[in-house]
Amino acid sequence: MPHTYEHPRPALTVDAVVFGFDPAAAGGLRLLLIRRGQAPFKGGWALPGGFVRIGETLDEAVRRELSEEAGVDEAWLEQFHAFGALKRDPRERVVSVAYFALVRPGEVRGGTDADDARWFTEPEVAAAKLAFDHAEIVARARESLRERVRRRPAGFELLPEKFTLTEMQRLYEAVLGRTLDKRNFRKKALSFGLLIPLDERRRHGAHRPAQLFRFDRRKYAQLAKRGIDFEV
Amino acid sequence: MPHTYEHPRPALTVDAVVFGFDPAAAGGLRLLLIRRGQAPFKGGWALPGGFVRIGETLDEAVRRELSEEAGVDEAWLEQFHAFGALKRDPRERVVSVAYFALVRPGEVRGGTDADDARWFTEPEVAAAKLAFDHAEIVARARESLRERVRRRPAGFELLPEKFTLTEMQRLYEAVLGRTLDKRNFRKKALSFGLLIPLDERRRHGAHRPAQLFRFDRRKYAQLAKRGIDFEV
DNA sequence: TCAAAAGTGTTCTTGATACACCCATGC
DNA sequence: GCATGGGTGTATCAAGAACACTTTTGA
């Protein structure tokens, strides 16, 4: 079949729900949103994303958009759903393939505290009235992330290279939306044998300093290959 | 932004991996494939699917294609992944949103034993050398179905309205790819309280006749709303 | 010496697994 | 009466949930 335009075609975009986690600031996951420069929804907040070019894969398109629009060059990406409602973009018919992205907030290039790209807490997101159907996309991304995290240790893409077990627990609590028992969590977290204790401790304030760990990527890759389950 | 063609756009299709299960014929799930009438891959076997029209959602597009190409008017559909590799279609750039579909083989309109649409067993699929990247799509669909079935009782879309516990067990064994213990399976299957025993029994051959059940959709909808887990 | 976060074990309950025999039927 | 698939119960083990106090530090 030749490349014809006998029928008009839906346009194809990608959108990214960028999650970040700051272990210092309590209070859950944060979301990276960008301010729209044009109508529709001019001045409103939206997910980074844009049209898929003819010479790039979906993954490449998201990475490019994340870099261009949000200053994010390193991210763990996972596609979770395609959104195809008829009127989701008032201008024309657009189908969007949505990804969630996990980034360490520190790794975002400048501009993210600027006027056109900013981290939002969950209540801020709720108050922000996102453009298009982006609120729905975010809701679904949260759900996918939750399911994802129950099956494999995904959260390490959100934690700094060195982290404490308390930080890790806070992250899991934020993703799962409920508190976890400290002792049970530590037992389980260590039981996988994927956390390497470091010779360092983190001290901040007048407390007992916490043991630092890093994630054993090598060992995880081996286990994942054999299809191990990581229910948390 | 007006409807411009300043950049060429990837085309958008949907494809469906149609699973069927015949409780009588032992031997796992079957897949509905259609024979291609044109190049490329003319005469080869492929998934039902096609271009998304400008005035229909993704779900509507799959349903239309399933009806037109495969004679399937009733199916449980679930979107599982979008495939966007550059050369997946040799003619032009095509991104495809893939669904898996669960149907009762009996509910397929004629023509499915005809020349251009047929049920394939798993080994037949493996031998058939599917068109495009459809083998990859099928592999991923199997995986998604397996994960899906572990979380909620999805299989009832594959079983006849009235079924025996042995049939249900066969289905789960086919989906999960391993044998299950009969007593443990029955215990668990009944423990959810979603199976309604009927006053009928099925007799076939010189055996004790089996109790028939039907699925309690109403009750399931209530439980699902409250977010109950259905790990099998 | 006090405040604040880090760290640690045990009991109980629940669900998963393993396993072997009798039952009802048609031929 | 026998072959065939239908149907049932219990004991063991592993994992999850609940739960409270001591330790280390800096101020």
Side-chain angles (χ1 to χ4, degrees), chain B residues 166 182-183 186-187 206-208 211:
Chain B
T166 302
K182 185 164 50 154
R183 281 163 295 186
R186 295 166 99 90
K187 222 183 306 170
H207 326 301
R208 175 175 178 174
Q211 174 70 251

Side-chain angles (χ1 to χ4, degrees), chain B residues 31-121:
Chain B
L31 215 63
L32 186 57
L33 298 174
I34 63 173
R35 194 193 285 278
R36 285 187 56 80
Q38 315 101 335
F41 304 102
K42 179 165 180 173
W45 294 94
L47 298 173
F51 290 94
V52 177
R53 298 186 185 160
I54 199 105
E56 65 188 1
T57 64
L58 297 170
D59 286 26
E60 287 163 358
V62 200
R63 289 194 189 278
R64 177 179 51 72
E65 292 287 351
L66 277 179
S67 176
E68 289 175 9
E69 292 196 331
V72 172
D73 294 313
E74 282 295 326
W76 171 264
L77 284 169
E78 195 156 311
Q79 186 195 302
F80 67 93
H81 196 70
F83 293 82
L86 293 184
K87 303 283 183 182
R88 37 182 310 278
D89 187 314
R91 294 163 295 182
E92 60 167 330
R93 180 73 201 292
V94 179
V95 170
S96 186
V97 177
Y99 284 71
F100 63 80
L102 308 182
V103 311
R104 298 187 244 267
E107 289 184 358
V108 174
R109 255 187 291 122
T112 48
D113 282 318
D115 209 37
D116 53 348
R118 221 193 85 202
W119 288 104
F120 283 65
T121 63

Side-chain angles (χ1 to χ4, degrees), chain A residues 19 61 65 72 112 121 141 149 157 194:
Chain A
F19 291 106
E65 292 287 351
V72 172
T112 48
T121 64
V149 142
E157 313 293 339
L194 293 171

Side-chain angles (χ1 to χ4, degrees), chain A residues 123-142:
Chain A
E124 283 172 340
V125 172
K129 289 278 193 183
L130 304 194
F132 305 106
D133 58 349
H134 288 184
E136 184 193 341
I137 297 180
V138 168
R140 190 131 184 181
R142 283 222 179 82

Side-chain angles (χ1 to χ4, degrees), chain B residues 181-200:
Chain B
D181 179 84
K182 185 164 50 154
R183 281 163 295 186
N184 294 338
F185 179 82
R186 295 166 99 90
K187 222 183 306 170
K188 185 126 193 191
L190 293 171
S191 74
F192 293 121
L194 293 171
L195 299 183
I196 302 174
L198 303 174
D199 279 340
E200 297 171 68

